[in-house]
Amino acid sequence: MLKVAFATADRMRVDQHFGAAAGFAIYQLDGERAQLVELAEFPEESMDGNEGKLAAKIAALEGCAAVYCLAVGGSAVRQLLAVGIQPLRLDAPEPIDALLAKLRTAMRAGGVPWIDKALKKTADGDCFARMAAEGWQE
């Protein structure tokens, strides 16, 4: 399972710059289906000169493997990567449903490095959680 966020004002399309996003639609998905699990919304802010706004947006994406947006600044890219979130920039607005379909296909087929890495991390985490629940000790 992956959690992926989409910078969106209308909840239908990726249509926002990361730093100025009015909100994020956060989906959980596997190779077969996707489900909206959260809507994170933010007050209107200016795009420039407010680095502090990034912390709240990045915190809202905790647990996400990636975030899709129309643009993302260098500082935001560094901060996102530091917490394990892959920023993905689109050239033009795209429907979230179409992106989810592409993601599900990529999850099944493999070969997309950030998806493969995120799925491995999720599988490893599940393995360790099971081991701890079983009382395994080193």
Side-chain angles (χ1 to χ4, degrees):
M1 294 288 268
L2 286 183
K3 273 178 63 177
V4 179
F6 301 91
T8 181
D10 65 8
R11 300 180 184 166
M12 303 291 288
R13 302 173 299 136
V14 173
D15 59 359
Q16 298 276 288
H17 181 286
F18 179 81
F24 296 102
I26 301 172
Y27 284 80
Q28 188 163 341
L29 61 150
D30 60 22
E32 301 304 319
R33 64 194 137 286
Q35 179 178 355
L36 178 67
V37 293
E38 185 178 350
L39 290 170
E41 296 179 332
F42 305 96
E44 191 173 320
E45 298 175 87
S46 66
M47 283 180 61
D48 296 323
N50 186 1
E51 280 291 307
K53 68 183 174 209
L54 295 179
K57 290 184 176 168
I58 292 169
L61 302 181
E62 182 179 348
C64 289
V67 59
Y68 281 83
C69 51
L70 286 184
V72 59
S75 176
V77 168
R78 286 188 294 280
Q79 292 177 59
L80 287 163
L81 291 173
V83 296
I85 301 170
Q86 178 67 50
L88 298 159
R89 188 183 66 79
L90 301 175
D91 292 327
E94 287 191 44
I96 292 171
D97 285 344
L99 293 167
L100 288 168
K102 290 177 188 176
L103 284 167
R104 289 191 308 270
T105 298
M107 289 175 73
R108 289 189 305 269
V112 178
W114 74 265
I115 293 175
D116 294 344
K117 181 179 176 182
L119 290 174
K120 182 177 180 351
K121 182 178 173 183
T122 300
D124 289 348
D126 290 346
C127 172
F128 292 127
R130 281 193 310 274
M131 290 169 60
E134 294 170 359
W136 183 83
Q137 296 196 359
E138 203 170 325

